[in-house]
Amino acid sequence: MIDKRYDTVIGLEAHVQLKTRTKMFCGCAYHFGAPPNSQTCPSCLGLPGALPVANREAFRLGLRVGLALQCRIAETLRFDRKQYFYPDLPKAYQITQFETPSHFDGHLDLSFGQAGETVHILRAHLEEDSGKSLHGNKDEGTLIDLNRCGVPLLEIVTTPSIHSADMALDYLRELRLILRYIGASDCDMEKGSLRCDVNISLKPKGSTTLGRKIELKNLNSNRMIKRAIEYEQKRQAALYDTSKGIGAEESRTWDDEAGESRSMRRKESSADYRYFPDPDLPRFRIAKAWIEETKAQLPELPGPRFKRYQSQLGLSAKDAQQLVQNASAANYFEELTNLISSAKKAANWVIAKVLPALKAAPHLNAAANSAEAIAPIRPTPTIVAELINMTTEGLISQDAAHTLFDELRSSTASPQDLAKTLDLLQLNDPDQLRELLRQSIDANPDTWEALKSGTQPAQHALVGWAMRQSQGRANAAKLSELLRDMTI
Amino acid sequence: MNPSPFDLIDAGVVDLSLGLHRGTWTAVQILEAHLEQIRKHDAKYGAFLSIVDGVHDRAREIDRKRQDGRPLGPLAGVPIAIKDNICIKGQPTSCGSAFLQNFRPPYSAEVIERLEAADALLIGRTNMDEFGMGSSTENSSFGITRNPWSPSRTPGGSSGGSAAAVAARMCAAALGSDTGGSIRQPAAFCGITGLKPSYGRVSRRGLIAYASSLEQIGPLTRSAADAAAILAVISGHDQGDSSSSTRPAFGLDELSPLDLKGLRLGLPREFFGEGINPAIEAQIMSACQRLRDAGAELVDVNLPHTPYAIPAYYVIATSEASSNLARYDGIGYGRRAEAAQTLDEVYAQSRSLGFGPEVKRRLMLGTFCLSSDSYADYYDKALRVRTLLRNDFATAFDECDLILGPTAPILPFKLGSLRNDPLAMYLSDVLTVSLNLAGLPGASVPAGFAVENEQRLPIGLQIIAKPFEEALILRLATAWEMIGGFHRESPRL
Amino acid sequence: MSKIDRAEIKRVAALAKIELTDEEIGVFSEQMAKILGHFLKLAEVDTNSVDPLVYLSSDENLFREDDPVPCLSLDDALGNAALRSGPYFRVPKTR
Ligand SMILES: [Mg+2]
Ligand SMILES: [Zn+2]
């Protein structure tokens, strides 16, 4: 086991696309999957003479993230140019914040998975995304689509404060949850709105000096991140074991098919990016008032919410986590709890019915991911509260309530009317119920005798017969009650 | 009665638009007179690269507008030439570079939109040093431009085509751009008025960037009033240029006649003496004395960091240029080497074929200055010296209202004479670059002539003001025109 | 600090993506040594207590609101490209 001899030290660099309507420095809208090169203008094409103008909303969303990650916020900031030639970078420089990141020195205390561990945030800065290269067939060469070019990114860099693949994934999952909560990003790895590079090194157990680090690129899913880290742990351990160690810091790309990392031809460390302040953009100053206002508008974050559901609402950790994982479902749950004053019941309902309904409708799920919206699911919490009251009052059975929920997904009828229409109201009339019991006793004289001599399971059999006789409409609880009266 | 073509080409911006508003002449007549002047003389001088497509239609449109009684803009019918580095939608815009020979921008610069909204006639594109890099217009990929006063000499640069076109009456005014003197020096060499506005006064959107923190678009004209008329249209905040100032635009109402009495004119010691052609110095001193005779007060001032202006300027300009010109990669627009097989070949070969030697030299210098090993000694150091240069001016302006001096230390030089000595060419910008470093407005106005080899060669007086005090510059320039009268002289073509 | 020799000229040319002939390398190394030597005149100035001048303007926070504006047509976007494939810009294979 490598863990016995070496400590793993991991730092993550996440690039998240901010959920603005337009790009970072121009007014082009960006929609994933739009026709190639249909979302461009002189500025994001890098045409001669074109200039950048910063998007206020990108700053606001960045600020939300910075505050959610407990970062310090830079008072004044500037943009720098990072210069390198690449076909998907038409200006041959990326506008980024090299010298003054907007946000720095923050941390995320994990609430799920390896709860209690802390990941430190080195910096989170604004920059612009590059376009996309498509690798067509050989004759065609590489094709360039610049739609994505200029989309606002927040690059979130951790310190080397992560110790394992699992902790890396726990951090990423919680980061993603937070960013969705605060409406900063969709964090959809498949659509590239969350991308992650991993810096990893090993050091002898207990040593305080960091080993040479390797940068892993091209990790497009949680699974790939885990595999790549575990592969790299083994590869590096083997190198240290043979006392060769890591010769030089380098970037490696992950080949998921082959299950191995490979050195990249172009070594990042040898590049000279020639950063300098972008003379096309002015200085920015983040006013205290803006910070305070943004802080006040932040929703409750998943970690605190998770704790509150357990300590104040008495939910189990499992239920609380399920709810907190989906902000809009959690909001639905809170609304329902307020209406029926039973958190447990509300949780059961949301977990059993609302979450599956959300999952079955991905468009709703996506639209309602942020903590500021209640899941736009029909039936609304008010209607569900009525269903719950109807069950409490014995008007309908639990099963019937669930059936009604499904019907109400597409119906606008009142629950009461619908229950009537669908013949789901329970039989509650004592005379009719006693008649059903009498029929059950007549049909099952042996069971009745057994009950009278104290054999409890006999009661279920008699009530069950009566339920079947009523085609499920009889109120089972009341039947049991009446039967008990009859045995006394 | 038909106006004589001579009247039309000799009239300036203000008179042409006035006559058009009054119906004295039509836009088509104005256009024809100027096109005739271009046809007659430009083969010799090479001021223009092309005539704007559709300019006749535009002239007819303006005339129709007037016939229909629709309101006309303040520059109605005024033929204005545009330096080749300012984008005009759909028109070739090549920056004097073979790299952009076939480039037609899909958008227009902010200043172009403002000129069009003012009903100006964009007549043609003028020659320039490639990407603005040069002081002689010899670095154009499309041939040289000659000085209308002396065809064997340079018109100056980089806006040499614009200056020559205005001096030769081929247009009423031209737009140039000034990164280190590229409006003022050619204006001085061609005996006309050139104004470099304060940094941020005029939008740079659509100005093909050479050095973003230094350059401004400005007018070249034959009088201060004409320069003011153009500046009033093109100045003012543009939301599309984050470096354009949010101050109100320059307005013609700021131009009341200037009482020279009590006006303090600063003469920086460093702008006179060693390195300045004695004929120039004599002429500038004479101009200053005539202003003093008219009531102004002459004050000695110091700009002690002037000897460092050239190195600071060239470090910053080439550094920014190395970044701004990296986008010319042969992919999205511009020249692409046909033989290139690999991506690196596309970059290196396209750029090597497309750029001339001066551009390559400056890109190399800038790339070097920004490299991680050189950054502190060159780029960062230059930015600190830039602070000191700005402070120099601030201190000097405590003691005076305007600063005066020569625009250039040398007379229009013979074509080819400085070609193989780039450093000597750089050093000739010594009197102009400080303003760009400090963001100050400055103008060059005609101040007389020196005679060399029996040729009259124009001399420019440079007038420098505090940021956003263009009005004071233009008021003094107008007062000086009444005293000197040199702006009325025109070259015999 | 780097010495301006042929090797340095080659390094800078590679960064700037400029292909130089042997002759140009010779000419440039001579000229650049001279010019950069002049630039180093800056070292004479004491700038220890001087901040770099990064922003000429005192205007800050020039923002754009997050409102979409129309994009270029495909023909305008790709119209100046030397080489295109349908709706794409085209370059030699990058991998
Ligand atoms: Mg980045
Ligand atoms: Zn755009």
Side-chain angles (χ1 to χ4, degrees):
Chain A
M1 267 303 283
I2 47 165
D3 308 64
K4 293 243 172 66
R5 305 189 311 274
Y6 301 104
D7 286 330
T8 306
V9 181
I10 297 171
L12 293 187
E13 282 176 32
H15 285 87
V16 296
Q17 285 181 348
L18 295 175
K19 221 167 138 181
T20 52
R21 296 167 70 203
T22 66
K23 296 185 182 181
M24 183 71 218
F25 296 112
C26 67
C28 291
Y30 173 69
H31 303 287
F32 180 82
N37 292 307
S38 64
Q39 303 177 122
T40 64
C41 71
S43 183
C44 58
L45 287 176
L47 290 188
L51 295 173
V53 185
N55 183 343
R56 185 196 304 272
E57 179 67 2
F59 277 70
R60 194 185 70 89
L61 293 178
L63 188 51
R64 292 197 120 196
V65 178
L67 291 169
L69 296 176
Q70 321 281 335
C71 288
R72 294 171 60 195
I73 310 297
E75 233 171 83
T76 63
L77 38 96
R78 76 174 207 214
F79 285 93
D80 303 287
R81 295 182 179 179
K82 175 183 183 177
Q83 310 191 67
Y84 61 96
F85 285 83
Y86 207 70
D88 61 17
L89 191 71
K91 297 192 297 293
Y93 58 81
Q94 179 196 35
I95 305 178
T96 181
Q97 295 176 322
F98 178 63
E99 186 110 338
T100 55
S102 304
H103 324 285
F104 56 98
D105 223 354
H107 59 93
L108 174 57
D109 299 324
L110 297 182
S111 295
F112 312 102
Q114 303 191 19
E117 292 274 13
T118 295
V119 176
H120 293 278
I121 308 293
L122 182 68
R123 54 188 284 156
H125 66 258
L126 289 166
E127 59 185 29
E128 52 176 352
D129 209 342
S130 60
K132 268 186 193 163
S133 300
L134 282 91
H135 305 283
N137 62 49
K138 203 167 176 202
D139 308 329
E140 225 180 5
T142 293
L143 305 178
I144 308 296
D145 174 6
L146 296 178
N147 280 349
R148 198 183 67 180
C149 194
V151 170
L153 291 179
L154 195 72
E155 180 176 330
I156 306 168
V157 184
T158 75
T159 65
S161 50
I162 297 168
H163 320 303
S164 67
D166 285 334
M167 186 176 165
L169 291 192
D170 286 340
Y171 160 73
L172 269 183
R173 287 196 189 102
E174 189 152 350
L175 179 69
R176 184 162 42 195
L177 188 59
I178 290 171
L179 296 191
R180 286 177 178 169
Y181 255 64
I182 62 180
S185 173
D186 288 332
C187 289
D188 187 335
M189 281 183 124
E190 269 172 41
K191 292 181 180 167
S193 58
L194 168 65
R195 305 194 291 276
C196 194
D197 297 335
V198 173
N199 287 305
I200 172 169
S201 65
L202 297 191
K203 58 179 172 120
K205 197 113 202 137
S207 160
T208 50
T209 36
L210 290 175
R212 286 217 173 86
K213 71 168 190 254
I214 297 297
E215 186 183 34
L216 290 169
K217 289 183 168 289
N218 193 27
L219 304 171
N220 303 323
S221 69
N222 284 346
R223 197 187 58 88
M224 278 162 81
I225 290 169
K226 187 172 163 77
R227 282 186 77 197
I229 290 177
E230 286 171 352
Y231 171 87
E232 196 59 24
Q233 283 175 317
K234 283 188 199 118
R235 189 185 71 87
Q236 293 187 23
L239 284 173
Y240 282 115
D241 285 344
T242 59
S243 78
K244 273 201 302 205
I246 306 290
E249 301 197 338
E250 63 170 350
S251 293
R252 296 175 73 85
T253 182
W254 175 247
D255 181 339
D256 202 48
E257 240 166 73
E260 60 185 31
S261 70
R262 267 204 296 267
S263 184
M264 289 168 87
R265 234 176 350 123
R266 198 191 293 258
K267 271 185 198 151
E268 298 276 317
S269 48
S270 67
D272 186 341
Y273 291 122
R274 288 160 289 134
Y275 290 99
F276 78 108
D278 191 332
D280 288 334
L281 288 161
R283 181 190 285 115
F284 291 90
R285 190 179 299 274
I286 306 304
K288 287 253 162 17
W290 199 20
I291 298 175
E292 289 314 315
E293 186 192 327
T294 308
K295 201 182 266 177
Q297 287 168 350
L298 273 188
E300 185 183 29
L301 296 178
R305 194 175 239 197
F306 175 59
K307 288 189 191 89
R308 181 168 62 85
Y309 283 5
Q310 296 169 78
S311 64
Q312 283 181 27
L313 301 180
L315 297 190
S316 71
K318 185 169 165 255
D319 283 359
Q321 181 165 350
Q322 276 200 71
L323 290 171
V324 165
Q325 290 300 322
N326 186 313
S328 64
N331 293 339
Y332 192 107
F333 156 75
E334 296 201 11
E335 177 96 359
L336 187 56
T337 303
N338 285 338
L339 290 167
I340 64 168
S341 0
S342 164
K344 181 68 196 155
K345 242 183 219 169
N348 288 344
W349 265 88
V350 172
I351 291 166
K353 301 304 286 182
V354 175
L355 275 174
L358 273 175
K359 278 188 190 121
H363 59 288
L364 289 182
N365 207 12
N369 237 327
S370 96
E372 273 112 341
I374 290 183
I377 281 270
R378 281 211 330 227
T380 62
T382 320
I383 304 287
V384 172
E386 279 183 50
L387 289 178
I388 294 172
N389 285 336
M390 285 165 74
T391 54
T392 322
E393 285 166 18
L395 293 175
I396 52 172
S397 70
Q398 188 73 21
D399 284 352
H402 282 190
T403 308
L404 281 172
F405 181 99
D406 296 338
E407 293 293 330
L408 286 162
R409 296 276 297 114
S410 55
S411 166
T412 51
S414 77
Q416 289 80 1
D417 289 351
L418 201 59
K420 243 179 248 158
T421 317
L422 297 175
D423 206 8
L424 290 171
L425 285 174
Q426 291 202 120
L427 196 56
N428 280 316
D429 176 21
D431 289 340
Q432 287 184 22
L433 292 175
R434 274 194 210 94
E435 177 53 31
L436 275 171
L437 284 171
R438 242 170 257 124
Q439 288 174 19
S440 179
I441 291 166
D442 288 351
N444 305 287
D446 296 347
T447 317
W448 172 240
E449 286 308 321
L451 179 62
K452 279 202 291 188
S453 59
T455 313
Q456 276 309 309
Q459 185 190 336
H460 294 298
L462 289 170
V463 169
W465 194 94
M467 284 299 290
R468 279 192 297 282
Q469 190 67 10
S470 75
Q471 290 168 328
R473 289 174 53 242
N475 184 330
K478 284 215 170 123
L479 278 176
S480 303
E481 216 174 284
L482 289 169
L483 186 60
R484 201 161 52 244
D485 291 349
M486 290 163 79
T487 54
I488 297 166
Chain B
M1 198 189 77
N2 277 342
S4 92
F6 177 77
D7 290 342
L8 288 173
I9 62 166
D10 224 37
V13 172
V14 174
D15 291 341
L16 280 179
S17 73
L18 210 63
L20 187 106
H21 276 90
R22 289 188 181 141
T24 316
W25 43 60
T26 65
V28 170
Q29 286 170 336
I30 297 173
L31 177 63
E32 276 311 327
H34 286 89
L35 287 178
E36 180 57 23
Q37 182 78 346
I38 294 171
R39 274 192 290 269
K40 263 201 327 231
H41 298 292
D42 202 41
K44 179 170 171 189
Y45 294 99
F48 282 87
L49 293 173
S50 72
I51 300 303
V52 168
D53 294 341
V55 64
H56 287 93
D57 294 341
R58 186 76 184 117
R60 280 192 285 272
E61 202 181 304
I62 292 165
D63 286 336
R64 238 188 337 268
K65 226 172 160 177
R66 190 184 169 274
Q67 280 158 19
D68 297 351
R70 282 179 282 156
L72 287 172
L75 297 178
V78 177
I80 299 178
I82 305 297
K83 189 177 181 181
D84 194 31
N85 61 353
I86 300 172
C87 291
I88 310 179
K89 186 176 177 175
Q91 303 282 338
T93 303
S94 59
C95 242
S97 178
F99 195 100
L100 287 176
Q101 184 159 15
N102 298 313
F103 177 63
R104 286 170 191 259
Y107 77 109
S108 279
E110 176 70 15
V111 292
I112 295 298
E113 288 178 351
R114 292 188 187 196
L115 287 179
E116 284 175 337
D119 287 325
L121 263 184
L122 307 181
I123 186 167
R125 297 175 313 109
T126 53
N127 200 15
M128 59 182 283
D129 285 303
E130 186 177 7
F131 287 100
M133 299 181 184
S135 313
S136 66
T137 316
E138 291 169 290
N139 296 332
S140 167
S141 301
F142 309 114
I144 54 166
T145 299
R146 293 173 184 276
N147 192 319
W149 292 90
S150 170
S152 63
R153 291 171 192 264
T154 174
S158 62
S159 311
S162 285
V166 172
R169 272 58 177 167
M170 295 169 184
C171 54
L175 290 189
S177 64
D178 190 314
T179 310
S182 287
I183 289 175
R184 288 160 288 155
Q185 183 254 25
F189 279 15
C190 292
I192 59 169
T193 297
L195 173 68
K196 175 206 115 56
S198 313
Y199 188 78
R201 184 59 112 169
V202 177
S203 168
R204 292 185 298 113
R205 188 162 63 88
L207 168 66
I208 299 184
Y210 157 24
S212 317
S213 78
L214 297 162
E215 60 207 6
Q216 275 288 292
I217 295 172
L220 293 107
T221 56
R222 293 190 297 267
S223 73
D226 284 2
I230 306 276
L231 185 65
V233 168
I234 63 173
S235 74
H237 182 60
D238 168 18
Q239 293 212 328
D241 173 5
S242 310
S243 70
S244 81
S245 170
T246 53
R247 286 166 183 258
F250 166 80
L252 293 175
D253 53 345
E254 299 174 49
L255 293 181
S256 57
L258 182 64
D259 182 0
L260 290 176
K261 222 160 247 109
L263 186 74
R264 296 169 306 159
L265 302 175
L267 306 185
R269 271 181 241 289
E270 297 78 6
F271 279 25
F272 296 88
E274 199 199 337
I276 312 293
N277 179 312
I280 295 175
E281 179 162 343
Q283 198 62 33
I284 296 303
M285 281 320 295
S286 134
C288 292
Q289 269 143 25
R290 291 174 76 183
L291 285 165
R292 186 179 58 191
D293 294 345
E297 186 187 332
L298 300 183
V299 190
D300 279 339
V301 294
N302 283 319
L303 299 171
H305 292 94
T306 300
Y308 306 101
I310 287 284
Y313 169 78
Y314 274 95
V315 168
I316 293 167
T318 58
S319 294
E320 290 183 10
S322 73
S323 177
N324 285 333
L325 271 66
R327 68 186 63 197
Y328 303 107
D329 58 8
I331 299 172
Y333 41 82
R335 180 132 190 191
R336 171 138 165 182
E338 277 164 25
Q341 297 292 310
T342 67
L343 183 61
D344 256 338
E345 285 170 10
V346 169
Y347 291 143
Q349 293 179 12
S350 302
R351 289 164 68 76
S352 298
L353 286 171
F355 292 149
E358 183 58 30
V359 172
K360 287 181 198 168
R361 186 156 40 238
R362 294 199 193 187
L363 297 186
M364 294 281 293
L365 288 167
T367 304
F368 175 88
C369 290
L370 286 178
S371 292
S372 48
D373 287 346
S374 325
Y375 188 90
D377 293 327
Y378 292 87
Y379 184 73
D380 184 72
K381 184 78 180 181
L383 291 187
R384 290 173 200 271
V385 172
R386 191 176 189 177
T387 299
L388 293 172
L389 279 155
R390 188 168 71 168
N391 295 349
D392 278 0
F393 277 107
T395 309
F397 277 122
D398 284 343
E399 291 155 46
C400 62
D401 305 306
L402 288 164
I403 290 175
L404 301 190
T407 305
I410 52 176
L411 292 166
F413 48 89
K414 290 265 192 200
L415 289 162
S417 63
L418 288 183
R419 281 208 92 165
N420 296 319
D421 192 350
L423 184 55
M425 184 86 91
Y426 296 177
L427 293 174
S428 74
D429 297 336
V430 59
L431 301 175
T432 45
V433 294
S434 319
L435 279 72
N436 302 79
L437 288 165
L440 306 179
S444 179
V445 297
F449 296 87
V451 178
E452 217 176 78
N453 303 331
E454 294 170 16
Q455 273 176 324
R456 291 174 87 214
L457 300 175
I459 290 170
L461 167 70
Q462 189 171 207
I463 310 173
I464 306 165
K466 291 177 216 167
F468 299 96
E469 293 197 351
E470 283 86 351
L472 192 55
I473 293 177
L474 292 165
R475 290 166 71 203
L476 179 69
T478 303
W480 167 244
E481 283 173 358
M482 287 188 261
I483 297 168
F486 297 109
H487 67 296
R488 280 189 290 270
E489 305 243 9
S490 53
R492 281 226 337 256
L493 301 183
Chain C
M1 201 175 315
S2 316
K3 204 170 137 259
I4 313 303
D5 52 15
R6 293 179 68 91
E8 177 65 3
I9 295 292
K10 280 187 188 168
R11 181 192 74 87
V12 174
L15 265 181
K17 301 277 188 221
I18 291 174
E19 206 172 59
L20 296 177
T21 62
D22 252 18
E23 199 195 319
E24 284 174 314
I25 293 174
V27 175
F28 273 27
S29 46
E30 208 174 294
Q31 289 178 337
M32 281 178 62
K34 201 167 141 197
I35 296 166
L36 289 167
H38 182 74
F39 288 1
L40 279 182
K41 218 173 135 62
L42 294 174
E44 296 168 8
V45 187
D46 178 4
T47 53
N48 280 327
S49 51
V50 184
D51 284 333
L53 180 55
V54 175
Y55 296 105
L56 277 174
S57 169
S58 53
D59 286 331
E60 294 175 342
N61 292 1
L62 293 166
F63 285 121
R64 181 175 58 75
E65 298 308 322
D66 191 22
D67 302 320
V69 298
C71 291
L72 289 175
S73 72
L74 198 62
D75 277 342
D76 276 346
L78 282 97
N80 281 296
L83 226 50
R84 59 186 272 196
S85 266
Y88 295 100
F89 300 96
R90 205 170 105 188
V91 297
K93 232 171 164 33
T94 55
R95 76 162 185 234

